[in-house]
Amino acid sequence: MSKKIVVQKFGGTSVGSPEKIKAVANRTSQLLENNNKLVIVVSAMGNTTNQLVKLSKEITSNPSPREYDALVSTGENVSASLLAMSFQSLGIDAISLTGAQAGILTQDLHAKAKILTIKTDRIKKELDDNKVVIITGFQGINPNADVTTIGRGGSDTSAVALAAALDCEECEIYTDVDGVYTTDPRKIKDAKKLKEVSYEEMLEMASLGAKVLHPRAVECAKENKIILHVRSSFELTEGTRVKEVNQLEVSKPVTGITINENEAIISMIRVPNSPGIAGDIFKELAENSINVDMIIQNVLEKTDSNNISFSIHEDDLDQTLTITKSIAKKLNCKILSDTSIAKISCVGIGMISKPGTAAKMFTALGRKNINILRITTSEIKISCAIQQKDAQKALEVLHKEFELE
Ligand code: ADP
Ligand code: ASP
Ligand code: MG
């Protein structure tokens, strides 16, 4: 029987100390007894990436993108080598590979490059030589062979892209919680673990702030029909499977609630009301890979101008301000930004067939005196921007309202 390739990813907390790294080697080595080939993708140890970002800021507030990536990608190199050493000290042959050595080729873009392709020859050769292959998450190389990184939290995406390139049916994501919950279990104690979640719902939840999976990992899994198994690094229990789910089984309107406190709202005041202007603004943001949400445009009565506002991730604030301010100069309009908001979202395929979900959400927030600043919806999600100070209260009331405990 030919050996099966198993791809597993271990996140920052799971490799946060030498003891934890040794525990990962101990745990995963048991899989080799079942005749598997093992590919392990690792994140940087604990808080390392944040510390590297902080270090760069101590040198300059505006590091060159190339050097930023050269620096922040190093965290993963450390954990990958340490894990390889841990296997070797158990008498198991193992090798660590950087993104470049593993053939992970990305766009020519820094800090949020997309993976274009993975040349798996080296990985396959090492697996054929009976080695455990440990690959650094979060990084790849661009066509100039410079190191790129693929976005914060991106090791999940590295793992899924590798699972796809190696034709795996499943990719295991080991983390510091034992699955995907109805909401962040660190914020709501009686949040419930979900046995399975559909790709669509997980994609919304991840994009709207459920940190447990990187949104692009879910997208990549969906496209390549790879089941994601999110589970605990520290316990042996079954976790949550993210996969195609039969919609007939859905009984509740809301499957999960997310909160995102890392958004900022940009408002462009008195933008000339003429065709093509909104297109120009958002095209430039898109060209800089800035994701935009909650777009609202209101035409100011009896004037030939309007206000356009939208939300972005706080990490993109400086770049967005630079872009919008340069546009504002040409259009003679004003730019305001607000980072004191939070976005709370209800996500569920069930809401398609259950009218009144939005009304229920708004009423529950109103009952608690929580002011809704803006609203956006899609087929399976409703999001409200609220004041950050109301975030926890809103999460508690909605989790109860939709009977998720
Ligand atoms: P890793 O370092 O393993 O990648 P992350 O910190 O990125 O782990 O993601 C795991 C964290 O995601 C958990 O500790 C939890 O606080 C948070 N989280 C947010 N929403 C959810 C959710 N719906 N279910 C589970 N965890 C969630
Ligand atoms: N180490 C990177 C980060 O902290 C990537 C990851 O952990 O997924 O963002
Ligand atoms: Mg993560």
Side-chain angles (χ1 to χ4, degrees):
M1 199 179 81
S2 74
K3 289 186 178 184
K4 189 174 124 193
I5 300 178
V6 176
V7 176
Q8 303 185 324
K9 177 255 172 180
F10 286 84
T13 337
S14 315
V15 292
S17 66
E19 288 66 38
K20 285 185 176 162
I21 292 177
K22 285 190 209 165
V24 169
N26 265 318
R27 175 177 181 164
T28 52
S29 61
Q30 288 160 21
L31 273 169
L32 294 170
E33 288 159 20
N34 299 336
N35 215 17
N36 291 307
K37 291 181 178 183
L38 204 51
V39 172
I40 302 181
V41 178
V42 283
S43 291
M45 291 172 73
N47 205 21
T48 304
T49 313
N50 285 342
Q51 282 165 359
L52 292 168
V53 173
K54 195 163 156 255
L55 262 181
S56 76
K57 287 196 173 135
E58 284 173 28
I59 300 286
T60 165
S61 61
N62 189 21
S64 85
R66 183 187 183 279
E67 299 312 326
Y68 174 89
D69 274 357
L71 175 71
V72 299
S73 60
T74 59
E76 272 67 15
N77 301 354
V78 174
S79 40
S81 312
L82 290 175
L83 184 56
M85 290 176 198
S86 301
F87 276 108
Q88 289 161 0
S89 48
L90 292 175
I92 297 167
D93 215 355
I95 184 167
S96 69
L97 298 178
T98 62
Q101 291 168 328
I104 302 178
L105 307 180
T106 74
Q107 287 174 308
D108 185 10
L109 182 74
H110 288 287
K112 44 177 134 172
K114 291 217 167 94
I115 296 173
L116 297 176
T117 179
I118 303 181
K119 294 193 171 150
T120 53
D121 318 3
R122 174 78 188 268
I123 302 174
K124 285 184 175 154
K125 180 191 162 293
E126 302 298 349
L127 288 172
D128 288 344
D129 286 348
N130 286 322
K131 288 181 193 158
V132 174
V133 177
I134 299 147
I135 301 176
T136 52
F138 185 48
Q139 52 164 279
I141 48 163
N142 68 13
N144 304 322
D146 285 334
V147 177
T148 52
T149 63
I150 64 169
R152 295 302 308 270
S155 297
D156 297 332
T157 302
S158 307
V160 181
L162 280 159
L166 295 166
D167 288 325
C168 302
E169 284 170 13
E170 194 170 294
C171 176
E172 294 187 302
I173 307 282
Y174 287 84
T175 184
D176 59 358
V177 282
D178 62 353
V180 178
Y181 280 70
T182 48
T183 192
D184 188 341
R186 298 188 195 286
K187 294 199 166 123
I188 299 285
K189 286 285 160 272
D190 53 9
K192 231 174 92 184
K193 186 162 100 184
L194 301 163
K195 199 164 162 262
E196 50 187 42
V197 197
S198 66
Y199 291 122
E200 290 77 9
E201 288 172 310
M202 194 64 236
L203 188 54
E204 289 283 13
M205 284 171 69
S207 310
L208 294 165
K211 200 178 148 213
V212 63
L213 281 174
H214 194 233
R216 275 162 44 207
V218 185
E219 208 168 48
C220 183
K222 180 173 187 271
E223 264 167 36
N224 293 285
K225 296 198 165 50
I226 292 170
I227 297 171
L228 292 180
H229 187 187
V230 180
R231 54 194 309 198
S232 166
S233 294
F234 313 116
E235 289 162 31
L236 292 171
T237 47
E238 283 279 296
T240 301
R241 286 200 163 75
V242 181
K243 58 201 250 302
E244 235 153 63
V245 176
N246 182 351
Q247 295 195 15
L248 291 175
E249 293 165 13
V250 181
S251 61
K252 286 185 174 176
V254 173
T255 302
I257 301 182
T258 63
I259 191 98
N260 187 351
E261 297 179 67
N262 302 317
E263 289 216 10
I265 288 183
I266 305 285
S267 302
M268 304 184 72
I269 311 293
R270 293 194 178 278
V271 181
N273 197 4
S274 50
I277 292 205
D280 290 346
I281 297 169
F282 291 109
K283 185 165 161 252
E284 191 150 350
L285 293 169
E287 279 169 1
N288 284 278
S289 297
I290 295 170
N291 259 336
V292 171
D293 191 27
M294 296 197 134
I295 304 172
I296 294 180
Q297 167 170 327
N298 27 12
V299 178
L300 301 172
E301 258 182 66
K302 295 191 190 120
T303 67
D304 53 2
S305 60
N306 55 47
N307 293 344
I308 298 178
S309 70
F310 52 90
S311 65
I312 48 155
H313 194 282
E314 256 176 16
D315 286 353
D316 292 328
L317 182 61
D318 290 344
Q319 206 186 356
T320 306
L321 282 176
T322 310
I323 293 170
T324 48
K325 278 183 179 165
S326 118
I327 298 173
K329 219 171 176 179
K330 289 180 226 152
L331 300 177
N332 200 19
C333 61
K334 201 168 122 191
I335 304 292
L336 302 175
S337 63
D338 180 1
T339 53
S340 69
I341 62 139
K343 183 165 75 183
I344 186 149
S345 309
C346 291
V347 175
I349 281 184
M351 69 177 68
I352 297 176
S353 58
K354 293 178 187 64
T357 310
K360 201 169 172 180
M361 178 178 182
F362 305 153
T363 311
L365 292 174
R367 217 183 318 118
K368 291 282 168 187
N369 239 343
I370 297 168
N371 197 22
I372 301 172
L373 305 170
R374 54 189 66 213
I375 298 166
T376 48
T377 62
S378 77
E379 213 178 16
I380 63 163
K381 73 126 202 257
I382 308 156
S383 300
C384 294
I386 55 173
Q387 289 294 333
Q388 232 167 55
K389 65 172 176 53
D390 292 328
Q392 182 64 26
K393 193 163 62 166
L395 197 53
E396 283 164 15
V397 64
L398 294 179
H399 199 261
K400 265 211 181 75
E401 187 72 25
F402 289 104
E403 295 167 15
L404 298 177
E405 321 87 318

